[in-house]
Amino acid sequence: EAEVAQSPRYKITEKSQAVAFWCDPISGHATLYWYRQILGQGPELLVQFQDESVVDDSQLPKDRFSAERLKGVDSTLKIQPAELGDSAMYLCASSLAMQGSYEQYFGPGTRLTVT
Amino acid sequence: LAKTTQPISMDSYEGQEVNITCSHNNIATNDYITWYQQFPSQGPRFIIQGYKTKVTNEVASLFIPADRKSSTLSLPRVSLSDTAVYYCLVGDTGNQFYFGTGTSLTVIP
């Protein structure tokens, strides 16, 4: 069964450093999502791509976060500089996003710890 | 943005049927209702999706009344491995999907 790949699985970084996460969605999935999940809370959407275009980044802290999906396939989420409050699980998901089918397939996530 | 309201937590004994209700008073005409399950340190996993009436698959049933302002996820004969957080989402391709805090289900032996 096809899966969403994410790397790294775990990342420890010091505050003020730069950090990047990578996601490879399921082949053929045009829609890609990045979520942040703080312990004890539900996932919060950071950015949504349709192919290479950003559809929604209203919740992305643009002063320090950036996301790209240059060729409409894999994607990178970057934080620079990292802050203590950025410690969380970062989840990537993809979907076909066809009318009537909104199932999102999630990757295993990247657990970020900022010290 | 269609938000949802769910109970924070529920307990159930093994073998019982569990019903988790979700309120979504502001659901739009084009919105679908989707439920996800999440285990600790894993990404959410799709359980079931519906638009109206009843949908059933191999793991759950979803009941949606005519006004669509709520929905109920039904898990038949739960086991210990069903202990997880369950999220109800409402939306379509044009809307942000809001996970909320979900319902933490604990299955007791």
Side-chain angles (χ1 to χ4, degrees), chain A residues 10-102:
Chain A
Y10 303 91
K11 180 70 177 179
I12 300 174
T13 190
E14 295 182 348
K15 64 179 182 179
S16 80
Q17 295 298 305
V19 64
F21 314 127
W22 177 79
C23 172
D24 191 13
I26 293 173
S27 178
H29 282 195
T31 306
L32 185 147
Y33 311 83
W34 281 102
Y35 289 89
R36 175 173 60 186
Q37 186 171 26
I38 296 170
L39 195 62
Q41 299 182 19
E44 172 197 19
L45 181 68
L46 293 175
V47 62
Q48 178 181 341
F49 289 92
Q50 182 69 25
D51 298 310
E52 66 276 8
S53 300
V54 173
V55 172
D56 184 352
D57 63 355
S58 58
Q59 302 303 311
L60 188 71
K62 299 182 187 62
D63 57 335
R64 297 185 301 107
F65 286 64
S66 64
E68 61 183 16
R69 193 184 183 197
L70 295 176
K71 297 183 179 179
V73 181
D74 59 338
S75 175
T76 302
L77 178 70
K78 297 179 181 178
I79 307 175
Q80 182 174 18
E83 297 181 352
L84 295 177
D86 296 330
S87 294
M89 175 77 85
Y90 289 82
L91 294 162
C92 178
S94 69
S95 73
L96 285 170
M98 295 165 52
Q99 185 69 26
S101 176
Y102 308 108

Side-chain angles (χ1 to χ4, degrees), chain A residues 9 33 35 37 40-43 45 48 56 58-59 89 91 97-104 106-108 111, chain B residues 30-32 34 36 38 41-46 49 87 89 91-102:
Chain A
R9 291 294 308 278
Y33 311 83
Y35 289 89
Q37 186 171 26
Q41 299 182 19
L45 181 68
Q48 178 181 341
D56 184 352
S58 58
Q59 302 303 311
M89 175 77 85
L91 294 162
M98 295 165 52
Q99 185 69 26
S101 176
Y102 308 108
E103 179 177 352
Q104 297 181 40
F106 283 81
R111 171 73 66 186
Chain B
N30 294 333
D31 286 345
Y32 278 70
T34 312
Y36 285 83
Q38 187 177 28
S41 299
Q42 295 185 24
R45 183 177 71 97
F46 172 89
Q49 176 184 288
Y87 295 97
L89 280 71
D92 69 6
T93 54
N95 297 328
Q96 180 186 123
F97 289 93
Y98 177 72
F99 272 80
T101 55

